[in-house]
Amino acid sequence: MSKLYKPDILIVGSGFFGAVLAERLANISNKKVLIIERRNHIGGNSFSEVDKKTNIEYHKYGTHIFHTANQKVWDYINKFTEFNNYRHQVLSKHKSKVYQMPINLETINSFFKKNFSPIEAEKFILNKTKKFKNYKHKNFEDKAISQIGKELYNAFIKGYTQKQWGKKPKYLPESIFNRLPIRYSYNEDYYQQTQYQGIPKNGYKDIFINLTKNKNIRIKLKEKYNLKYKIKPRYLTIYTGPLDSLLNYKFGKLEWRSLSFKKEVKKTRDFQGTSVINYPDLKNKFTRVHEPKHLHPERKPFNSNQTLVIKEYSVKNDNEPYYPINDEVNRIKHRKYKLEASKIKKFEFGGRLADYAYYDMDMTISAALKKFEQIKKKIK
Ligand code: UDP
């Protein structure tokens, strides 16, 4: 890259938020975009790659299922990839027995050794939860118990949540529990309301390559950013990283939960029969076990006599942020950072890290498309 290169737009970070904005700005607004990325690859935490030993594609930062009910997002992303027909299911292993997740009629019948119909199961759970319906403290634990009762909570939710967040569920916001439905039917799809679902046929990396395929988009990997960054764009910088490090932690650190993974090749055709099994018991230090070949049943390695198995551990590590710990203290801190960052001239921000929000991929794409609509008027 020539030293004199001056982009119209500088984008910091190449996850969905940055890559979608780069695509729009280059293709629609005909602007010169420079993306800088601190890692040695594009795609943020959605990145996937093929394991060399097994030829199995795996998601480097944990299994990512693309799912959305947003027609606009679905139409948009399908211009850059084709999806397979994968539909996500999750199982949960409690005391050596495997149950269906999210909790559904099969989970309830199997756990309580019953043969309830949907209406009977609903009454049965209501009986267990009615005394908790008017819960006073709005936190994850109270919310969960008021929805599913103590037994199911203790078996499937309490330990998992504690391991995942490194905090007692009493100290977590109830909004996290809203991600998990309870169903009185045998529907075992993990994502119920969403119409569209799948895994990119050529892997996630391919989407990012296609999004940024434009002679007006340049990418510089292994490049760090700070507010004194040497390259000043003509119009705008779009920053997608955490706001606390950007502003030198002046209001203190925002807390994040991070993940670590242990990969292993097993000499068997099929290790666990599905892509993800959750481990809610505290005696297992890991939270889930991934077997990525199940994400691509259409591919050749699906039938090979070896498989890749990845254990997921939840850890505290502010350098590799995955999940925002969206409690009151952190939210207040984030608000201060947001206000401060919005005062910076020729500067925009967004995405899961900058917004400190538990976005799924489709929400991030939707946010990026909206951001583009806002900024395109300013850069004419
Ligand atoms: N959760 C749980 N048990 C499970 C699955 C999820 O207690 O078997 C809780 C846990 O607190 C988790 C939250 O529900 O953080 C959201 O789960 P989701 O599967 O949406 O998490 P993600 O896939 O985004 O990590």
Side-chain angles (χ1 to χ4, degrees):
M1 193 178 307
S2 98
K3 274 193 187 143
L4 296 170
Y5 184 72
K6 190 178 175 71
D8 295 323
I9 314 280
L10 173 68
I11 297 184
V12 183
S14 65
F16 269 115
F17 196 80
V20 166
L21 273 161
E23 183 281 317
R24 294 282 86 183
L25 288 160
N27 286 333
I28 306 295
S29 302
N30 208 18
K31 292 286 180 272
K32 283 200 183 90
V33 178
L34 172 65
I35 304 179
I36 60 169
E37 165 59 57
R38 76 181 165 92
R39 286 178 174 150
N40 63 1
H41 63 74
I42 52 174
N45 280 8
S46 308
F47 177 76
S48 66
E49 65 187 0
V50 173
D51 171 68
K52 288 202 180 73
K53 282 188 210 140
T54 57
N55 258 333
I56 293 169
E57 178 129 18
Y58 73 103
H59 303 167
K60 195 164 179 194
Y61 304 94
T63 303
H64 279 64
I65 317 299
F66 197 91
H67 60 101
T68 189
N70 185 328
Q71 186 72 44
K72 222 167 132 184
V73 168
W74 184 245
D75 291 343
Y76 174 78
I77 205 65
N78 271 275
K79 289 192 239 164
F80 304 96
T81 188
E82 224 183 291
F83 287 91
N84 69 8
N85 291 322
Y86 177 82
R87 290 201 76 82
H88 197 42
Q89 287 182 354
V90 175
L91 296 147
S92 182
K93 201 168 194 173
H94 166 60
K95 292 190 176 162
S96 309
K97 188 171 157 53
V98 172
Y99 297 88
Q100 291 182 1
M101 278 301 282
I103 292 164
N104 65 19
L105 188 52
E106 157 61 27
T107 322
I108 295 167
N109 278 335
S110 161
F111 183 76
F112 291 105
K113 299 190 174 62
K114 302 282 187 196
N115 292 301
F116 289 137
S117 70
I119 309 298
E120 287 165 351
E122 209 166 337
K123 276 194 193 139
F124 177 78
I125 297 294
L126 187 64
N127 240 329
K128 294 187 175 295
T129 56
K130 62 182 177 218
K131 57 178 180 286
F132 304 112
K133 286 290 178 207
N134 296 320
Y135 62 103
K136 271 191 250 109
H137 313 285
K138 295 209 161 182
N139 63 57
F140 183 102
E141 179 162 287
D142 293 339
K143 170 85 184 189
I145 293 174
S146 77
Q147 301 296 303
I148 59 175
K150 280 199 167 153
E151 292 105 320
L152 290 168
Y153 171 73
N154 286 333
F156 298 110
I157 308 296
K158 192 177 181 181
Y160 186 97
T161 299
Q162 194 170 319
K163 286 194 283 185
Q164 165 70 13
W165 297 95
K167 282 186 191 217
K168 295 239 155 73
K170 248 189 229 155
Y171 303 110
L172 289 167
E174 60 177 325
S175 60
I176 300 173
F177 188 75
N178 296 337
R179 291 177 64 89
L180 282 179
I182 169 159
R183 304 208 186 105
Y184 297 100
S185 72
Y186 289 115
N187 178 358
E188 53 174 314
D189 248 13
Y190 200 63
Y191 305 114
Q192 185 182 31
Q193 300 91 343
T194 54
Q195 292 121 311
Y196 302 115
Q197 212 182 120
I199 308 291
K201 273 191 180 163
N202 297 323
Y204 279 96
K205 186 180 169 189
D206 187 62
I207 302 186
F208 292 94
I209 291 172
N210 292 337
L211 280 168
T212 55
K213 207 184 267 173
N214 182 310
K215 66 175 181 3
N216 278 336
I217 300 177
R218 296 188 188 190
I219 302 172
K220 207 167 170 5
L221 299 175
K222 293 198 263 179
E223 180 79 349
K224 286 200 181 129
Y225 176 79
N226 62 44
L227 287 171
K228 294 195 181 109
Y229 188 62
K230 57 195 179 210
I231 298 173
K232 302 283 176 216
R234 194 160 283 133
Y235 294 99
L236 203 59
T237 295
I238 300 171
Y239 175 82
T240 72
L243 297 183
D244 59 350
S245 57
L246 178 81
L247 296 166
N248 295 320
Y249 307 101
K250 65 190 284 189
F251 304 118
K253 272 191 165 186
L254 289 168
E255 277 182 288
W256 298 89
R257 218 43 200 160
S258 189
L259 302 178
S260 86
F261 298 94
K262 269 195 195 145
K263 255 166 82 188
E264 217 183 313
V265 176
K266 301 261 188 203
K267 295 218 172 318
T268 174
R269 188 171 49 81
D270 194 347
F271 176 72
Q272 62 180 17
T274 191
S275 57
V276 182
I277 295 193
N278 289 355
Y279 283 77
D281 299 344
L282 287 174
K283 77 171 193 340
N284 306 109
K285 295 279 173 266
F286 45 90
T287 50
R288 0 186 204 205
V289 175
H290 306 263
E291 189 177 9
K293 67 156 53 174
H294 290 283
L295 300 171
H296 287 287
E298 78 281 7
R299 287 190 183 179
K300 231 179 165 182
F302 185 70
N303 294 314
S304 81
N305 280 326
Q306 55 177 357
T307 187
L308 194 64
V309 171
I310 307 171
K311 282 189 182 141
E312 175 178 322
Y313 297 81
S314 181
V315 294
K316 187 173 168 54
N317 173 359
D318 299 328
N319 300 325
E320 286 294 345
Y322 283 65
Y323 298 92
I325 302 202
N326 227 333
D327 59 10
E328 187 76 13
V329 178
N330 283 294
R331 270 204 302 274
I332 293 170
K333 243 185 239 174
H334 181 255
R335 235 174 276 143
K336 289 185 193 163
Y337 280 120
K338 221 173 129 177
L339 190 67
E340 196 75 2
S342 58
K343 291 179 194 155
I344 306 171
K345 295 223 165 65
K346 295 166 83 177
F347 191 85
E348 295 280 343
F349 54 89
R352 183 161 166 141
L353 300 184
D355 286 348
Y356 195 65
Y358 197 161
Y359 291 153
D360 289 327
M361 291 178 282
D362 65 326
M363 295 153 95
T364 307
I365 294 169
S366 172
L369 293 174
K370 280 187 192 135
K371 187 63 121 190
F372 173 67
E373 292 305 317
Q374 288 166 17
I375 62 183
K376 77 175 183 200
K377 296 164 205 147
K378 297 185 197 166
I379 55 166
K380 270 195 187 140

